[in-house]
């Protein structure tokens, strides 16, 4: 796969499978993909890892780059951090303990539930709201794809993003600390692996936002661990009860779950990239009612809709609902004294990182944008994608930036050919007969 | 046309609440491409969005012309709607002539014109009952 810059995202193309069909370019919410030379190419700095292209590719040519299970052998002591979405992947699951004990039999020495850390993050957020220490409405920072949308497209909203570790990052810090105390091993001999529904989390581990370094060492997809884990789970009878989270933490897997953890009504929960962008737009335009909290998930239905899950999001959601029936609301909270050296706060608030600047200075950008606007008028405005760019405007921009030519537009090309084949009087001649066939 | 001016034109459909906000959304996107500061984009977003919504609700549509130079953004909203009979009242916060139905849709809070004035750096309003309204706003680029 050809990269146009340093790799800072986790969705990749399998060039052998790509047919250059242009389905992905029209579904990519950040217009990060172009088809050139018959292959899809992802512009790294624009990709937000939402996984839309993985979902829509008819040839399964898009995939997320995860760590393999073999990576575990690099570490002396291995910890699994299961995302609560994992619990929704299994039929007739009696308790979460089957999954947790199953993971222990898949080569892990310990498990630390991300849902447990989620309950702590919920408690911490409740505290921030109660003490008035955060600008409202607080925008959740748990979905890394949403964070990437905000920091590149909604500069004004960056300061509203909750500057607090996601449950995954917190779980990793707490699990590593616990393991070091318990085993006496140095940090580098302990491997912390997140079991993930989505590629955005991989990027969030390699390029964490708000943190210097993530405590997660590797990310394994739910789809990769599903089969070996299920095999182990099937061997279990009455597994030890080791789960330490309530229904609140498990609920984070579905849209609205994080909000319910705040125990108040002034919230909005939206899922799916289009809805997320619409809500952010309305917030920027001052159109939302006074809210305390906005929960946004890039995947439909929340994390259960992640592109690396095996189960349909609605089925997974129903299973999670049934799993919660005997659980207390929550078992964990942010402790009065905190966690010693482990803080929940980010180092900085979210910084605006524009990715679509048309030029380095205003004069250049203005001149380019004017050229794009007038060039756009030469194209039919169908946004057909046949040129390899998602819209006529995107093609105009690619041309102005020197990445494409007018001839990439089939309509423009046809007009040019008709001109070449003009009759003796210089009048353009249609190349096709009344039925659309070539003459 | 000199190179350092970008002109944009939008036609706004009356009573089309589904696509309301598309024009201001497009300008917002272009301002980002121009590398304009978050604060300026926000001011423009609120001021222009309110103007656009006003054309949808009150004026049965209209036109928006936008001019962007390195120094400022000029927005001219023109319509052939009913005009504003009492400008002073319309400019006060909370004053609204929107119908119950419009209120129920979450619009018509009476902040339209006040917000346009508040979020722009210059604001001029010309209106004639039965003829229409022209609003000219500028937002300075920081």
């Amino acid at each position: 796969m050809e990269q146009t810059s340093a790799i800072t995202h986790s969705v990749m193309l399998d060039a052998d499978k790509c047919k250059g069909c242009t389905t992905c370019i029209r579904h990519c919410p950040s217009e990060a993909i172009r088809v050139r030379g018959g292959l899809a190419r992802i512009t790294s700095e624009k990709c937000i890892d939402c996984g839309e292209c993985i979902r829509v590719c008819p040839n399964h040519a898009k995939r997320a780059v995860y760590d393999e299970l073999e990576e575990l052998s690099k570490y002396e002591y291995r910890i699994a951090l299961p995302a609560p979405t994992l619990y929704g992947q299994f039929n007739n699951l009696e308790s979460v303990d089957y999954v947790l004990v199953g993971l222990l039999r898949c080569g892990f020495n310990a498990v630390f539930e991300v849902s447990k850390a989620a309950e702590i993050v919920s408690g911490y957020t409740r505290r921030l709201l109660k003490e008035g220490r955060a600008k409202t409405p607080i925008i959740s920072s748990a979905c890394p794809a949403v964070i990437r949308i905000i920091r590149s497209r909604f500069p004004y909203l960056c300061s509203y993003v909750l500057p607090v570790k996601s449950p995954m990052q917190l779980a990793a810090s707490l699990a590593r600390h616990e393991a070091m105390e318990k085993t006496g091993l140095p940090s580098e001999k302990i491997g912390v692996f997140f079991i993930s529904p989505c590629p955005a989390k991989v990027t969030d581990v390699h390029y964490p936002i708000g943190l210097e370094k993530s405590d997660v060492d590797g990310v394994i997809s739910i789809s990769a661990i599903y089969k070996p884990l299920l095999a182990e789970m099937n061997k279990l009878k009455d597994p030890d009860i080791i789960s330490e989270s309530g229904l609140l933490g498990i609920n984070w897997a579905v849209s609205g779950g994080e909000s319910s953890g705040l125990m108040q009504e002034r919230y909005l929960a939206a899922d799916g990239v289009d809805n997320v962008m619409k809500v952010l737009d309305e917030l920027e335009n001052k159109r939302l009612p006074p809210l305390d909290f906005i929960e946004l998930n890039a995947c439909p239905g929340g994390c259960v809709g992640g592109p690396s899950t095996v189960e349909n999001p609605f089925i997974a959601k129903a299973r999670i609902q049934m799993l919660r029936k005997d659980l207390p609301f929550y078992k964990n909270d942010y402790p009065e004294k905190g966690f010693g050296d482990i803080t929940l706060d980010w180092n900085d608030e979210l910084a605006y990182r524009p990715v679509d600047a048309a030029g380095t200075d205003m004069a250049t950008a203005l001149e380019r944008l004017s050229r794009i606007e007038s060039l756009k008028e030469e194209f039919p405005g169908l946004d057909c994608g046949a040129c390899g760019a998602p819209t006529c405007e995107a093609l105009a921009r690619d041309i102005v930036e020197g990445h494409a030519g007018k001839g990439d537009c089939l309509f423009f090309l046809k007009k040019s050919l008709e001109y070449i084949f003009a009759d003796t009087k210089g009048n353009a001649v249609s190349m096709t007969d009344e039925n659309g066939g070539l003459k | 046309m000199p190179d350092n001016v970008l002109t944009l034109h939008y036609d706004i459909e009356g009573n089309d609440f589904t696509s309301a906000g598309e024009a201001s959304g497009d300008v917002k996107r272009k301002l980002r491409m121009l590398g304009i500061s978050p604060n300026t984009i926000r001011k423009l977003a609120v001021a222009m969005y309110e103007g656009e919504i006003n054309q949808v609700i009150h004026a049965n549509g209209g036109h928006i012309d936008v001019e962007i130079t390195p120094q400022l953004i000029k927005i001219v909203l023109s319509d052939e709607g009913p005009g504003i009979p009492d400008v002073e009242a319309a400019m006060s916060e909370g004053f609204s002539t929107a119908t119950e139905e419009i209120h129920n849709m979450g619009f018509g809070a009476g902040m339209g014109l006040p917000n346009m004035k508040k979020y722009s750096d210059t604001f001029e309003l010309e209106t004639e009952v039965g003829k229409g309204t022209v609003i000219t706003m500028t937002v300075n680029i920081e």
Side-chain angles (χ1 to χ4, degrees), chain A residues 92-171:
Chain A
N92 302 321
L93 189 66
E94 276 171 49
S95 77
V96 167
D97 301 301
Y98 281 86
V99 180
L100 304 182
V101 176
L103 283 169
L104 290 175
R105 297 171 64 147
C106 284
F108 291 100
N109 304 88
V111 285
F112 192 106
E113 294 160 273
V114 175
S115 49
K116 178 178 169 178
E119 294 187 344
I120 297 166
V121 173
S122 284
Y124 193 65
T125 313
R126 285 197 299 271
R127 174 184 287 240
L128 289 180
L129 272 172
K130 196 174 144 205
E131 293 170 0
R133 281 199 283 139
K135 202 152 105 176
T136 53
I138 292 175
I139 303 173
S140 162
S141 56
C143 174
V146 167
I147 297 312
R148 280 176 162 74
I149 292 172
I150 296 173
R151 79 163 174 182
S152 60
R153 291 195 184 208
F154 296 93
Y156 180 79
L157 302 179
C158 287
S159 60
Y160 288 86
V161 171
L162 184 65
V164 166
K165 282 181 183 174
S166 67
M168 172 190 79
Q169 302 285 19
L170 177 65

Side-chain angles (χ1 to χ4, degrees), chain A residues 121-122 125 140-142 162 251-252 254 256-262 293 295:
Chain A
V121 173
S122 284
T125 313
S140 162
S141 56
L162 184 65
N251 234 354
W252 271 62
V254 297
E258 180 183 4
S259 301
S260 70
L262 300 176
F293 191 77
E295 175 188 340

Side-chain angles (χ1 to χ4, degrees), chain A residues 3-20:
Chain A
Q3 291 293 335
T4 50
S5 58
I7 303 167
T8 53
H9 66 99
S10 307
V11 178
M12 294 289 163
L13 184 89
D14 186 335
D16 292 336
K17 288 184 179 169
C18 178
K19 292 183 177 168

Side-chain angles (χ1 to χ4, degrees), chain A residues 377-396:
Chain A
E377 301 302 318
E378 296 189 39
F379 301 127
L382 296 176
D383 297 342
C384 69
C387 62
T391 62
C392 295
E393 185 177 336
L395 174 63

Side-chain angles (χ1 to χ4, degrees), chain A residues 378-380 384 386-387 392 395 399 405-416:
Chain A
E378 296 189 39
F379 301 127
C384 69
C387 62
C392 295
L395 174 63
I399 294 170
K406 285 188 196 178
D408 285 324
C409 173
L410 292 183
F411 293 86
F412 188 87
L413 193 65
K414 185 167 170 260
K415 238 195 274 172
S416 312

Side-chain angles (χ1 to χ4, degrees), chain A residues 25-305:
Chain A
I25 62 170
R26 277 173 286 138
H27 284 87
C28 174
S30 52
E31 297 193 352
I33 318 177
R34 296 290 184 276
V35 173
R36 298 244 161 80
L39 278 186
R41 290 154 202 235
I42 305 171
T43 307
S44 197
E45 62 266 32
K46 285 194 180 175
C47 175
I48 54 166
D49 286 306
C50 65
E52 280 298 304
C53 57
I54 298 179
R55 286 191 194 93
V56 301
C57 179
N59 305 303
H60 308 293
K62 293 288 196 317
R63 60 188 172 84
V65 177
Y66 286 99
D67 293 295
E68 307 286 333
L69 276 166
E70 287 74 49
E71 289 287 303
L72 265 68
S73 59
K74 285 190 186 164
Y75 300 90
E76 206 164 299
Y77 191 82
R78 302 164 292 270
I79 309 164
L81 308 180
T85 295
L86 180 65
Y87 311 148
Q89 311 298 306
F90 307 98
N91 222 352
N92 302 321
L93 189 66
E94 276 171 49
S95 77
V96 167
D97 301 301
Y98 281 86
V99 180
L100 304 182
V101 176
L103 283 169
L104 290 175
R105 297 171 64 147
C106 284
F108 291 100
N109 304 88
V111 285
F112 192 106
E113 294 160 273
V114 175
S115 49
K116 178 178 169 178
E119 294 187 344
I120 297 166
V121 173
S122 284
Y124 193 65
T125 313
R126 285 197 299 271
R127 174 184 287 240
L128 289 180
L129 272 172
K130 196 174 144 205
E131 293 170 0
R133 281 199 283 139
K135 202 152 105 176
T136 53
I138 292 175
I139 303 173
S140 162
S141 56
C143 174
V146 167
I147 297 312
R148 280 176 162 74
I149 292 172
I150 296 173
R151 79 163 174 182
S152 60
R153 291 195 184 208
F154 296 93
Y156 180 79
L157 302 179
C158 287
S159 60
Y160 288 86
V161 171
L162 184 65
V164 166
K165 282 181 183 174
S166 67
M168 172 190 79
Q169 302 285 19
L170 177 65
S173 303
L174 294 174
R176 180 178 298 280
H177 180 77
E178 250 178 37
M180 284 167 71
E181 298 246 294
K182 186 180 161 196
T183 63
L185 287 170
S187 181
E188 63 271 17
K189 296 207 167 176
I190 295 166
V192 180
F193 290 85
F194 179 60
I195 315 292
S196 177
C198 82
K201 287 290 190 189
V202 182
T203 313
D204 196 36
V205 164
H206 296 307
Y207 304 92
I209 291 174
L211 309 172
E212 228 159 81
K213 193 188 166 295
S214 171
D215 267 315
V216 179
D217 295 297
V219 182
I220 290 165
S221 74
I222 285 182
S223 56
I225 205 160
Y226 181 74
K227 213 177 147 193
L229 175 59
L230 186 62
E232 290 302 330
M233 285 166 62
N234 282 338
K235 291 180 204 160
L236 295 174
K237 261 183 210 147
D238 289 326
D240 292 344
I241 295 165
I242 57 172
S243 172
E244 293 176 6
S245 57
L247 69 88
L248 191 169
I250 293 174
N251 234 354
W252 271 62
V254 297
S255 178
E258 180 183 4
S259 301
S260 70
L262 300 176
M263 304 174 199
Q264 54 122 306
E265 309 308 318
R266 289 159 66 94
Y267 72 83
L268 178 158
D271 52 88
V273 180
D274 289 349
N275 290 328
V276 164
M277 293 210 271
K278 183 79 185 156
V279 167
L280 291 169
D281 242 335
E282 298 280 43
L283 176 61
E284 200 173 49
N285 293 345
K286 280 173 72 78
R287 277 269 305 138
L288 296 186
L291 295 167
D292 283 336
F293 191 77
I294 300 183
E295 175 188 340
L296 302 169
N297 289 289
C299 290
C303 297
V304 285

